[in-house]
């Protein structure tokens, strides 16, 4: 399964990081070459942009500014990391991609889906995930899971209604992209979710091998 692009989506605390770690381990143990990236980040420029975005000192950041910063980090990641890896036959696993931008800025910030897609037209350069796994976990449950020992960043510390709009945005995105987005119940056990992901990927691989 080479040159394959997988993304994970969901609100903060939905369980994405755990499932990404398990999937990457699965690929490694089964002889596949995989690469894990995160958004925003995974490039020197992207990580600096990430610091700006999540810094609570930047509370006056405009919504369009925020959306453009995400797009800039994504453009760098796509050009310098994701596309080269896919061309070399690697499996790329990304913690968030364009769907996050649509959910958080399009729905959460009320900028609209079309605006976010227009902003990202050149950033993604027509790149679309082969499959997206959406960890469907309601915002209240996500907040309970958040590590209470660390300070929440600028986005995580937004009010509950913002996270509710983001969650509803994800539901709409999944409904509009049924062929690409696989919805997984976030309240299920970690192992059951992992096995569902592996099963979906095996079915895709079989279909492509016919």
């Amino acid at each position: 399964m080479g040159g394959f692009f997988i993304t994970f989506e969901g609100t903060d605390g939905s369980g994405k990081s755990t499932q990404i770690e398990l999937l990457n381990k699965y690929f490694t143990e089964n002889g596949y070459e995989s690469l894990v990236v995160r958004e925003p980040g995974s490039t020197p420029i992207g990580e600096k942009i990430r610091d700006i975005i999540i810094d609570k000192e930047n509370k006056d950041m405009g919504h369009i500014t925020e959306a453009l910063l995400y797009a800039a980090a994504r453009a760098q990641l796509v050009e310098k990391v994701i596309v080269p890896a896919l061309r070399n036959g690697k499996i790329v696993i990304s913690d968030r991609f364009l769907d996050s931008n649509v959910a958080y800025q399009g729905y959460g910030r009320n900028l609209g889906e079309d605006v976010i897609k227009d902003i990202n037209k050149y950033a993604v350069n027509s790149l679309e995930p082969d499959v997206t796994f959406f960890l469907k976990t309601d915002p209240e449950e996500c907040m309970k899971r958040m590590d209470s020992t660390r300070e929440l960043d600028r986005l995580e510390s937004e009010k509950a209604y913002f996270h509710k709009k983001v969650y509803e945005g994800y539901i709409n995105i999944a409904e509009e992209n049924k062929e690409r987005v696989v919805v997984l119940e976030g309240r299920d056990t970690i192992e059951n979710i992992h096995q569902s992901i592996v099963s979906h990927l095996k079915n895709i691989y079989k279909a492509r091998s016919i």
Side-chain angles (χ1 to χ4, degrees):
M1 189 191 295
F4 198 77
F5 187 28
I6 302 167
T7 59
F8 279 79
E9 297 288 353
T11 52
D12 294 310
S14 61
K16 293 184 291 81
S17 298
T18 298
Q19 293 303 325
I20 288 170
E21 183 179 347
L22 287 173
L23 183 59
N24 189 46
K25 181 181 178 182
Y26 170 83
F27 282 136
T28 300
E29 291 177 346
N30 286 274
Y32 295 106
E33 191 173 5
S34 57
L35 173 68
V36 175
V37 298
R38 70 172 181 175
E39 282 210 349
S42 292
T43 67
I45 291 173
E47 290 296 330
K48 289 179 180 179
I49 293 174
R50 181 186 186 90
D51 290 340
I52 294 171
I53 290 172
I54 68 174
D55 189 348
K56 293 177 74 173
E57 293 296 317
N58 296 327
K59 58 184 178 181
D60 291 332
M61 184 181 296
H63 297 342
I64 288 291
T65 301
E66 184 179 85
L68 288 167
L69 284 171
Y70 275 108
R74 180 170 301 117
Q76 187 73 1
L77 180 61
V78 168
E79 180 183 352
K80 300 298 183 180
V81 179
I82 297 178
V83 169
L86 292 174
R87 285 175 178 167
N88 287 328
K90 292 182 180 179
I91 299 169
V92 178
I93 308 170
S94 184
D95 185 346
R96 302 192 180 286
F97 197 59
L98 179 55
D99 290 331
S100 279
N101 226 171
V102 173
Y104 278 81
Q105 283 71 49
Y107 287 89
R109 301 299 194 198
N110 296 318
L111 292 179
E113 186 172 344
D114 290 340
V115 169
I116 300 303
K117 288 183 176 180
D118 285 344
I119 288 173
N120 281 274
K121 182 178 180 181
Y122 296 101
V124 300
N125 196 23
S126 300
L127 178 65
E128 185 173 282
D130 291 288
V131 62
T132 297
F133 293 105
F134 166 46
L135 276 294
K136 184 183 176 183
T137 313
D138 67 76
E140 289 185 5
E141 175 65 21
C142 287
M143 292 307 296
K144 292 177 184 177
R145 296 179 180 182
M146 300 291 279
D147 186 356
S148 60
T149 63
R150 70 173 179 83
E151 184 180 1
L152 299 180
D153 66 34
R154 191 177 66 86
L155 273 297
E156 293 169 341
S157 59
E158 285 283 356
K159 296 185 183 301
Y161 75 86
F162 170 77
H163 293 288
K164 185 174 184 295
K165 287 195 293 183
V166 171
Y167 177 71
E168 291 171 350
Y170 271 126
I171 299 297
N172 289 336
I173 291 167
E175 184 67 24
E176 293 170 359
N177 300 274
K178 291 182 178 179
E179 292 185 1
R180 173 175 60 85
V181 180
V182 177
V183 180
L184 300 166
E185 178 51 60
R187 288 180 179 269
D188 203 348
T189 66
I190 291 173
E191 182 58 28
N192 282 349
I193 294 173
H194 172 63
Q195 290 303 324
S196 293
I197 291 169
V198 171
S199 178
H200 278 293
L201 290 172
K202 285 182 176 179
N203 288 336
I204 293 172
Y205 181 69
K206 288 178 182 178
R208 290 193 169 197
S209 299
I210 295 174

